Amino acid sequence: MSEFFKFVVKKRQPAFVKRFLRELESGAYQVPRSFDVLARYNTEELKLDTRSQRLKLAFPEDRLMKDFMKRYLEAKLQPIELGSFCAPLAKQFALRQLQLMEGTERMSKEASFAQVEGEMAAQLRALSGTKEAQGTRFLVRLAHQEEEHHLRAALIEVSDQRARQGLPVLISRPGDESKRSAKEPKEAK
C-alpha cells in the first residue's frame, strides 16, 4: 500500500501564518501602530507540559466516602442511575456524616460515622444482607487481591528494568535486602 502513496503528489498550501508573515515581509503592508505597544511587553512562555500541575478537585466528603467504601465493600458495586437526582448511598452517608461533623453538633469523625450508621441501618442492612451482597463482598476482596498482585508484579518489572539501566531501584523483591548495594539508599519507612 505504501508503494502506491509514494507516487501521489500532495499539493500543500502554506499555512496561514507563514503566508501572512511572507506578505508582511514583502513590504506590501505597513506595520500597525499598535505593534510598538505590543512589542514592549514580554509575552509569557507557553508551557504545553501540564502533567506536573494537574488540577485535582477534592471535596470534603471524598475522604469520608473512601472510609465508607472500605467498611462497606458492597457499596462499590451498587449501580448508579445516571439520570437520577438521588445520590448513591455512599454519597448520602458521607454528606450526612459531614453535616454532623461541621454542623452545630461538631462531632468527631468516628462518632458521626457511628451515628449515621444507626440512622441508615435499614439501608445498610439491605445493602449487605442479601446473598448477592455477600457474594460480591468476596468478589470485591478477590478483585482487590488480584489488582494488588498485578500492581506489585508491574512495580517489580519496572524496578528490574531500572536496575538493568543502572538507575536506583524503586521497590525491592522480598528477600533482596541482603543483595542491595551500598550505594543505593535504603527506603525510609
Side-chain angles (χ1 to χ4, degrees):
M1 196 81 176
S2 62
E3 295 291 325
F4 172 76
F5 285 109
K6 72 179 183 182
F7 295 112
V8 175
V9 178
K10 293 181 182 176
K11 230 180 177 183
R12 290 183 49 129
Q13 294 185 0
F16 176 74
V17 175
K18 287 183 181 178
R19 189 171 53 208
F20 176 74
L21 290 174
R22 193 173 45 214
E23 290 174 356
L24 194 65
E25 290 171 353
S26 70
Y29 299 101
Q30 288 183 340
V31 177
R33 291 181 195 162
S34 61
F35 183 75
D36 293 334
V37 174
L38 296 174
R40 287 185 205 154
Y41 299 102
N42 292 333
T43 58
E44 282 188 34
E45 182 182 343
L46 179 63
K47 294 182 180 179
L48 299 176
D49 183 23
T50 58
R51 285 178 275 164
S52 60
Q53 300 173 350
R54 287 208 173 134
L55 179 65
K56 181 168 169 87
L57 296 177
F59 295 104
E61 67 267 13
D62 287 348
R63 57 186 164 80
L64 301 174
M65 283 178 61
K66 285 181 183 178
D67 292 342
F68 177 80
M69 295 285 193
K70 285 179 187 175
R71 177 78 186 262
Y72 296 98
L73 297 174
E74 308 84 30
K76 288 184 178 182
L77 298 176
Q78 186 182 20
I80 298 173
E81 294 181 35
L82 296 178
S84 172
F85 290 105
C86 184
L89 184 63
K91 183 102 172 165
Q92 291 175 10
F93 190 95
L95 289 174
R96 177 63 182 138
Q97 186 180 0
L98 189 66
Q99 185 181 22
L100 290 174
M101 288 170 60
E102 293 181 350
T104 56
E105 293 86 4
R106 293 281 180 200
M107 299 177 81
S108 69
K109 188 176 178 179
E110 294 80 20
S112 61
F113 190 90
Q115 183 171 342
V116 176
E117 260 185 332
E119 292 174 5
M120 303 180 99
Q123 293 172 319
L124 294 174
R125 255 186 269 116
L127 178 68
S128 62
T130 62
K131 287 185 179 180
E132 293 85 17
Q134 292 170 358
T136 55
R137 187 178 307 138
F138 171 73
L139 291 175
V140 169
R141 285 194 183 116
L142 188 64
H144 281 251
Q145 289 173 354
E146 190 173 332
E147 283 178 4
E148 185 178 346
H149 171 71
H150 288 297
L151 180 62
R152 183 158 294 281
L155 285 173
I156 288 173
E157 179 64 31
V158 168
S159 179
D160 289 345
Q161 287 177 358
R162 290 178 62 94
R164 277 185 247 128
Q165 294 173 353
L167 299 171
V169 178
L170 299 175
I171 188 171
S172 61
R173 293 180 184 214
D176 282 354
E177 296 296 323
S178 61
K179 297 178 185 176
R180 199 180 258 189
S181 65
K183 53 185 170 179
E184 291 180 11
K186 292 195 175 188
E187 297 173 4
K189 291 187 178 179

